Amino acid sequence: MFQKPQQNGYIKDVETMIAPGVRVEGEVSSQGNITVEGEVHGSIKTDLHLRVGKDAKISANVRAQTAYVSGHVQGNLKVKDKLEVTESATIIGDIETKTIVVAEGGVIHGKLTMLTDAKTKELKTTFQKTESKALDGVVVE
Amino acid sequence: MYSYLYSEKLSHSSVHRAVAAIETRLHDLDIAGNICRLTPTKNLREVIQQELHRGVKTIVAVGEDSFVERVVTVLATYRNNAILGIIPAASGTHDIAQSLSIPFGVDACNILSYRMVRTLRLGKVNNRFFLSSVECSGMLSVSCNGAFTVTATPPNKMLRVRVTNNPYEELRSATSVPPLKLWVNPTRSSRLSLTAKDPQESFFLSQSFSVNAEDRLSITIDDHGVTVSPPLLIESSSVTLKMITGALRPSVRATLSRPPTPNKHSSPEQYGW
């Protein structure tokens, strides 16, 4: 079901394409891949991959499984899996993602929160417990 | 039982010989039937209603695209099991027949006799039905399912909008109708930009599109031009029509899940397909 993005964030089987010279206002929601090369104002939601081109201008809150940002985004980004930010990208807004790759020159203004999966959470809680017990003078094997 | 509806254009003396050849071929193939010659004073809806009332099972539209499109719209509203056949004849475009792999003139009679029936799903534009596409251009804004609006940027630019329906796509269920595809293309602003690279096309999937404009819209429905007042509501529908089609192109055949059910008395090889 989920297709891995190819080089430069390009992907086959794009369901929604917003090309240059086109402006979209409102809630863009799709179960497939979305590519934005034009302007979007409102919100973008996809269950799969989002590609934001170099000349794209997005003024919207974004939710995606994976995202490749190369243009201008003003709004909060929630990316479940991996977010790739290129050297030409500008993001003004808070980011929530599991994995992030930022190229040299990529601009981010906002709070970055790294999402953790259940296992990471478990390890974190175990570590915290061990640490607190050690502080109480009890040695844990 | 066949009934042949002749377009108004077939009353012209220049096509009498071609019509005679079609009629002879239909007799040879033993599929001749009642002939209804449409005139400007005859109401197509009443003619079709009469024929269906007589128990006609196959209605054949003989004529050009605009005539076929009118017959499709009337027949689709009755929602009975009548089968539609096409014999492209007379002047005008014949893109509908071409998209169904039906050849022009006498050769189309062979397709009729082979009787490969397919159920095609229609799209709806205002109160009419269409098979494959609706096109228009101008200073437009398109609303998709009421969720978002697509316009040109800068705002004074023209847009060319095309909504396509895949008539071969089957209904997923009684409630889920396959979506239509909207193609949006900003048109070139001046002759100087003729040498420029063609702009990329935007596309969206949705069940319904509403096209708005300030002036009346010149639209093309299945390659047949009409003028309508905005807004233009284009939506996918569950209405289907049984049509006699020719051999399908490989690309179209690949999209079909069911194999065709040819008449047991004839075979595709018989006609050299």
Side-chain angles (χ1 to χ4, degrees), chain B:
Chain B
M1 196 173 177
Y2 287 79
S3 177
Y4 294 88
L5 306 182
Y6 283 19
S7 150
E8 291 90 341
K9 284 186 178 178
L10 291 178
S11 56
H12 201 269
S13 57
S14 61
V15 288
H16 279 177
R17 278 182 69 181
V19 172
I22 289 170
E23 284 171 2
T24 311
R25 184 70 186 141
L26 291 174
H27 267 286
D28 292 346
L29 293 166
D30 205 18
I31 52 170
N34 187 36
I35 294 172
C36 305
R37 290 184 172 83
L38 268 291
T39 58
T41 53
K42 268 189 187 172
N43 186 316
L44 180 67
R45 188 173 287 273
E46 281 173 12
V47 171
I48 291 178
Q49 203 172 6
Q50 267 176 18
E51 292 304 297
L52 293 176
H53 194 69
R54 280 193 328 114
V56 166
K57 294 276 182 270
T58 308
I59 286 181
V60 182
V62 188
E64 72 289 352
D65 273 351
S66 56
F67 180 68
V68 173
E69 193 251 319
R70 278 162 57 206
V71 176
V72 165
T73 298
V74 174
L75 214 52
T77 51
Y78 283 112
R79 294 201 182 204
N80 60 2
N81 276 330
I83 295 165
L84 176 68
I86 301 173
I87 298 180
S91 57
T93 55
H94 300 284
D95 296 314
I96 296 177
Q98 207 175 6
S99 68
L100 299 170
S101 303
I102 300 170
F104 183 81
V106 178
D107 294 338
C109 304
N110 298 336
I111 303 289
L112 272 185
S113 77
Y114 177 46
R115 214 178 157 79
M116 189 192 281
V117 178
R118 288 213 172 275
T119 304
L120 304 183
R121 202 178 43 78
L122 305 173
K124 202 175 176 189
V125 49
N126 286 355
N127 291 321
R128 315 164 73 126
F129 289 95
F130 69 97
L131 264 175
S132 60
S133 70
V134 177
E135 263 185 79
C136 57
S137 63
M139 308 271 261
L140 310 170
S141 74
V142 188
S143 169
C144 303
N145 257 0
F148 59 90
T149 311
V150 182
T151 50
T153 179
N156 55 354
K157 232 178 169 185
M158 305 256 279
L159 280 183
R160 193 163 64 86
V161 167
R162 187 161 47 97
V163 176
T164 53
N165 170 47
N166 180 3
Y168 299 104
E169 198 170 340
E170 286 169 8
L171 290 172
R172 289 163 194 165
S173 67
T175 50
S176 170
V177 182
L180 301 172
K181 197 166 191 176
L182 166 75
W183 300 83
V184 181
N185 203 351
T187 50
R188 289 191 187 96
S189 52
S190 70
R191 291 179 71 189
L192 286 172
S193 59
L194 276 172
T195 50
K197 215 174 114 182
D198 271 338
Q200 264 183 299
E201 250 185 343
S202 303
F203 50 82
F204 308 87
L205 289 178
S206 182
Q207 302 287 347
S208 75
F209 299 101
S210 173
V211 182
N212 276 290
E214 284 180 5
D215 306 317
R216 279 177 72 81
L217 280 167
S218 289
I219 62 168
T220 311
I221 304 172
D222 288 330
D223 298 299
H224 159 56
V226 283
T227 310
V228 293
S229 306
L232 186 70
L233 183 65
I234 307 165
E235 49 193 348
S236 59
S237 77
S238 57
V239 177
T240 54
L241 190 64
K242 285 182 178 170
M243 288 187 83
I244 298 173
T245 66
L248 299 171
R249 288 188 296 270
S251 58
V252 177
R253 204 181 294 138
T255 64
L256 297 171
S257 52
R258 271 188 296 127
T261 49
N263 190 322
K264 60 183 176 184
H265 300 299
S266 51
S267 67
E269 289 78 24
Q270 195 177 331
Y271 302 109
W273 291 341

